[in-house]
Amino acid sequence: MSSMFDLLMELPLFRGVSAETMRNTVGQAKFHFLKYPKGETIITEGQPCTHITFVVSGAVRLTTANRNGRISVSQTLRAPDVVAPEFLFGRATNYPCTVFALEDTGIMQVSKSDYVKILNSDPVFMFNYLNIISMNAQKSVTGLMSLSSGSLEERIAFWVLMLTQQSGENIAIEAPLRNLCAIWGVQRSALVEALGRMQGRCVESFGPSGIVFSSRRELLDMLSAHPEISSVSEDFPA
């Protein structure tokens, strides 16, 4: 039993609570544990977000695509982590991504009604959740207002950061470079030059079919150097 408590207390949104609080939480809310073999789909894009979903073992691959599927952004989340928590509440409560098991993976789900009870049971739970959704809101407002004057590298970094989670790894954009040129409003030569400057730091490789990023942290550091958004941080308080 103690190992289960240790696992739960390591999950994002549950960190910082006491063991006693977690025992009370387990007694009052229903935790559903599911197993998915490698390659199996866990969440389909557009599926209603009726539960908050945690990765408790293994790893998952998230892919977010535009309507015609010509541009997609993929990332890997490893346990312990949470999938798209900001879509549990609000006007848009459908998952924006498809999620599949990258390896044999354990998932824990808590229904929205039970999660509301958890949020109300201890201020730490509430603060954790408010911090993560506030961080995303502040990042989008500040970034959009400031990056109109930023370099192309900063615009690329901001775009990728907005479409991925803080803990995302192995990030890749799958799209013809001509489509990305249209999104960022630049000529192909300018995009290739910018990606060349980013290669070796935060870009692993790029080609006609897309871009592979080697470090999300480096993308964040690139934005942090911008004078108008240096205050934006993704550090999640414990």
Side-chain angles (χ1 to χ4, degrees), residues 136-231:
N136 290 337
Q138 292 163 2
K139 184 173 60 178
S140 61
V141 171
T142 309
L144 286 173
M145 291 300 291
S146 64
L147 287 185
S148 58
S149 61
S151 67
L152 178 54
E153 291 97 316
E154 289 170 335
R155 287 152 59 193
I156 293 171
F158 172 71
W159 197 82
V160 173
L161 290 170
M162 285 303 303
L163 290 174
T164 56
Q165 293 187 200
Q166 179 186 6
S167 51
E169 303 176 1
N170 304 323
I171 297 168
I173 299 176
E174 295 182 10
L177 287 189
R178 65 178 180 275
N179 290 359
L180 298 177
C181 290
I183 288 176
W184 294 317
V186 297
Q187 297 293 324
R188 180 187 176 91
S189 58
L191 177 58
V192 170
E193 288 175 6
L195 293 174
R197 289 191 294 269
M198 297 170 74
Q199 197 164 17
R201 180 182 178 188
C202 51
V203 169
E204 181 176 317
S205 62
F206 65 92
S209 60
I211 308 167
V212 177
F213 295 88
S214 55
S215 172
R216 191 178 185 279
R217 169 53 62 181
E218 290 286 355
L219 291 171
L220 183 61
D221 290 345
M222 183 181 298
L223 281 189
S224 298
H226 193 288
E228 296 184 35
I229 59 173
S230 59
S231 61

Side-chain angles (χ1 to χ4, degrees), residues 2-158:
S2 61
S3 61
M4 184 183 74
F5 287 138
D6 292 339
L7 171 64
L8 294 178
M9 292 169 68
E10 283 298 314
L11 291 171
L13 306 179
F14 285 0
R15 290 173 188 157
V17 300
S18 66
E20 181 180 358
T21 297
M22 187 57 67
R23 289 191 185 92
N24 292 334
T25 300
V26 171
Q28 296 172 4
K30 294 180 180 179
F31 293 77
H32 303 280
F33 292 90
L34 305 168
K35 289 287 188 180
Y36 290 88
K38 179 180 179 180
E40 186 168 338
T41 299
I42 299 170
I43 295 169
T44 302
E45 181 180 356
Q47 178 181 323
C49 184
T50 58
H51 294 70
I52 192 160
T53 300
F54 296 93
V55 183
V56 294
S57 65
V60 298
R61 188 73 172 166
L62 282 68
T63 300
T64 303
N66 67 343
R67 290 185 179 181
N68 60 22
R70 292 181 180 177
I71 299 174
S72 65
V73 179
S74 299
Q75 61 182 312
T76 296
L77 299 182
R78 300 188 180 278
D81 214 327
V82 58
V83 177
E86 62 270 37
F87 288 87
L88 186 63
F89 302 104
R91 188 173 182 178
T93 55
N94 296 83
Y95 281 106
C97 54
T98 294
V99 183
F100 72 89
L102 197 58
E103 55 192 63
D104 291 346
T105 298
I107 295 293
M108 184 188 78
Q109 291 186 327
V110 182
S111 70
K112 182 184 294 188
S113 58
D114 276 343
Y115 189 59
V116 169
K117 294 176 183 177
I118 292 173
L119 291 177
N120 288 320
S121 68
D122 190 283
V124 175
F125 293 128
M126 183 68 75
F127 288 144
N128 282 347
Y129 188 74
L130 291 176
N131 277 329
I132 197 168
I133 60 176
S134 296
M135 175 188 69
N136 290 337
Q138 292 163 2
K139 184 173 60 178
S140 61
V141 171
T142 309
L144 286 173
M145 291 300 291
S146 64
L147 287 185
S148 58
S149 61
S151 67
L152 178 54
E153 291 97 316
E154 289 170 335
R155 287 152 59 193
I156 293 171
F158 172 71

